[in-house]
Amino acid sequence: MIPFLDLNLVNAPYLDAIEAASLRVIRSGWYILGEELAAFERAFANYCQVGHCVGVANGLDAITLIFKAMDFPPGSEVIVPANTYIASVLPLSFLHLTPVLVEPDPYTMLLDASLVEAHITTKTRAILTVDLYGRSCEMDAISALAETYDLKIVTDAAQAHGTKYQGKKVGSIAHATAFSFYPTKNLGALGDAGAVTTSDETLAKKIRYLRNYGSQQRYKNEYQGVNSRLDEIQAAILNVKLPYLDKENERRREIAGRYLDEIKLSQLILPPADRVQEDSWHLFVVRHPERQRLISYLESKSIQTNVHYPLPVHKQLAYKSMAQLILPVTEQIHEEVISLPLNPVMSDEEVAYIIETINQFDS
């Protein structure tokens, strides 16, 4: 069986260094908000070509703390792509903001910039872009809209570590960017972890307070904050793996390039090929009108796939208030998408077998 993702194999090259880093933290006696986190924050800010990085507990908290720090009035509207994971929307609900779902471009499956302006009202305060699958949204068009209407841009880059847009690293383009380091990500910890990147010093400082009960100095609380801190062991592990991120992404690009060039199955819609060297290819997501039949076929040939995601936000029970929304592009995408195996430890032989097997579907 070719697994969709084997984390043991992904982490194996770094295991000795990870164990040494973890032991160093354990023996240090300092486990929260210490030197390991400070070192990672400096390194990741530098990697993202941005002024500040603030480590937090997970990607969901990263989005939540950005919007909490921006302090929009309750009921303010935020433009959100309809094709996203629920974690992009939940923070808005937690903060009593109103998510406004906008259809994706059917080809890129990302927020369709041409549809955004029609959804902007006097209550709109921000646009939340989601760099799904490891590809940046069309930030030029979105930035122009934000400037015209005086809106903030926040990016959910949970799947876009190392992605670029026109030569600029994701993490430096939006007003603030949220990252997740969940173990399956291109840059993954061995547990939950996240971060915010921004060049806004005031915003970064406020998020640093908010992640720590609203406090910078112990027992003095300037804000009503939360407990959301990237711990020292996870920071140390990320410090081990960050220097190898570009190399691993390059391998992902090689595999994606082969898939794009060599998969020839009719009716299978491949992802865009125009930015192979800028996308980080967290996922290689294709579409087929008979998804389950193709999944079953690949499974019978010992190829494991995944579906990101089977049910859109507005069809979730948690958001039954949105059930009346008519979003045909989003709904079709969620009925057709299949994620093929793509990770940096796959062999050329495995890639060739997947391509050959797909091309023989229905032959």
Side-chain angles (χ1 to χ4, degrees):
M1 173 69 74
I2 298 176
F4 181 75
L5 179 65
D6 186 333
L7 289 178
N8 281 327
L9 289 177
V10 169
N11 289 312
Y14 319 116
L15 190 57
D16 288 345
I18 287 171
E19 289 178 347
S22 300
L23 185 59
R24 182 177 68 244
V25 174
I26 292 167
R27 288 178 171 173
S28 75
W30 194 287
Y31 308 125
I32 298 291
L33 297 180
E35 287 302 314
E36 298 287 350
L37 175 58
F40 175 71
E41 289 176 333
R42 289 191 298 269
F44 196 63
N46 183 63
Y47 178 83
C48 292
Q49 303 169 342
V50 71
H52 305 278
C53 170
V54 184
V56 297
N58 53 67
L60 179 70
D61 283 1
I63 302 172
T64 304
L65 291 175
I66 289 170
F67 281 104
K68 187 173 179 64
M70 288 180 171
D71 200 22
F72 298 132
S76 295
E77 295 176 353
V78 178
I79 302 292
V80 186
N83 181 39
T84 189
Y85 184 53
I86 197 171
S88 304
V89 182
L90 287 171
L92 307 178
S93 301
F94 295 159
L95 296 170
H96 306 290
L97 305 176
T98 302
V100 178
L101 302 187
V102 176
E103 287 270 60
D105 179 307
Y107 186 44
T108 67
M109 296 185 281
L110 304 179
L111 179 65
D112 190 335
S114 70
L115 301 180
V116 170
E117 189 168 21
H119 292 80
I120 295 174
T121 73
T122 56
K123 292 184 178 181
T124 307
R125 295 292 180 270
I127 302 171
L128 175 61
T129 62
V130 181
D131 293 343
L132 211 57
Y133 317 138
R135 180 184 176 92
S136 174
C137 295
E138 296 297 330
M139 296 305 291
D140 279 354
I142 292 168
S143 295
L145 281 172
E147 184 174 353
T148 298
Y149 291 96
D150 192 24
L151 306 176
K152 299 292 188 184
I153 300 176
V154 176
T155 293
D156 176 351
Q159 299 183 0
H161 313 74
T163 297
K164 293 182 180 179
Y165 177 75
Q166 297 185 1
K168 295 179 180 179
K169 284 278 183 67
V170 163
S172 67
I173 302 169
H175 192 73
T177 303
F179 287 92
S180 166
F181 305 114
Y182 187 74
T184 59
K185 306 302 185 185
N186 290 30
L187 179 60
L190 299 191
D192 280 316
V196 174
T197 61
T198 181
S199 286
D200 185 330
E201 184 174 0
T202 300
L203 185 70
K205 182 178 179 180
K206 188 172 182 181
I207 292 171
R208 288 185 192 280
Y209 279 76
L210 289 170
R211 74 174 175 184
N212 189 40
Y213 302 103
S215 171
Q216 185 70 8
Q217 183 178 348
R218 196 174 187 187
Y219 303 132
K220 292 186 178 181
N221 303 77
E222 297 194 21
Y223 303 102
Q224 295 178 14
V226 298
N227 177 10
S228 180
R229 301 170 300 205
L230 199 168
D231 70 69
E232 288 289 281
I233 286 183
Q234 299 304 335
I237 291 167
L238 292 168
N239 280 325
V240 168
K241 297 178 71 174
L242 178 58
Y244 302 97
L245 176 58
D246 284 344
K247 180 181 178 182
E248 291 196 353
N249 280 349
E250 190 54 42
R251 177 56 178 161
R252 289 174 179 272
R253 292 177 183 121
E254 290 175 4
I255 296 168
R258 285 200 62 185
Y259 281 165
L260 291 166
D261 289 342
E262 300 176 39
I263 293 176
K264 304 297 182 183
L265 179 64
S266 63
Q267 289 192 296
L268 190 73
I269 301 174
L270 297 172
D274 58 319
R275 282 199 245 139
V276 173
Q277 296 307 313
E278 290 203 319
D279 296 357
S280 61
W281 298 102
H282 173 62
L283 298 171
F284 192 92
V285 180
V286 299
R287 292 169 57 192
H288 194 279
E290 296 183 78
R291 175 172 68 193
Q292 190 52 54
R293 195 162 70 86
L294 178 55
I295 289 173
S296 297
Y297 163 76
L298 292 174
E299 185 175 334
S300 75
K301 301 295 184 179
S302 298
I303 298 170
Q304 188 178 59
T305 60
N306 212 325
V307 174
H308 298 88
Y309 300 97
L311 197 63
V313 172
H314 70 289
K315 295 296 183 182
Q316 299 284 354
L317 183 60
Y319 280 101
K320 57 187 177 182
S321 60
M322 295 184 180
Q324 79 287 353
L325 294 178
I326 300 173
L327 299 166
V329 177
T330 296
E331 290 166 18
Q332 184 175 3
I333 285 171
H334 282 253
E335 290 170 0
E336 295 180 350
V337 288
I338 308 170
S339 298
L340 302 180
L342 193 160
N343 60 75
V345 296
M346 290 176 65
S347 68
D348 289 341
E349 292 74 19
E350 288 174 324
V351 174
Y353 176 72
I354 290 169
I355 292 168
E356 179 184 4
T357 304
I358 291 173
N359 286 340
Q360 291 176 351
F361 182 60
D362 273 349
S363 63

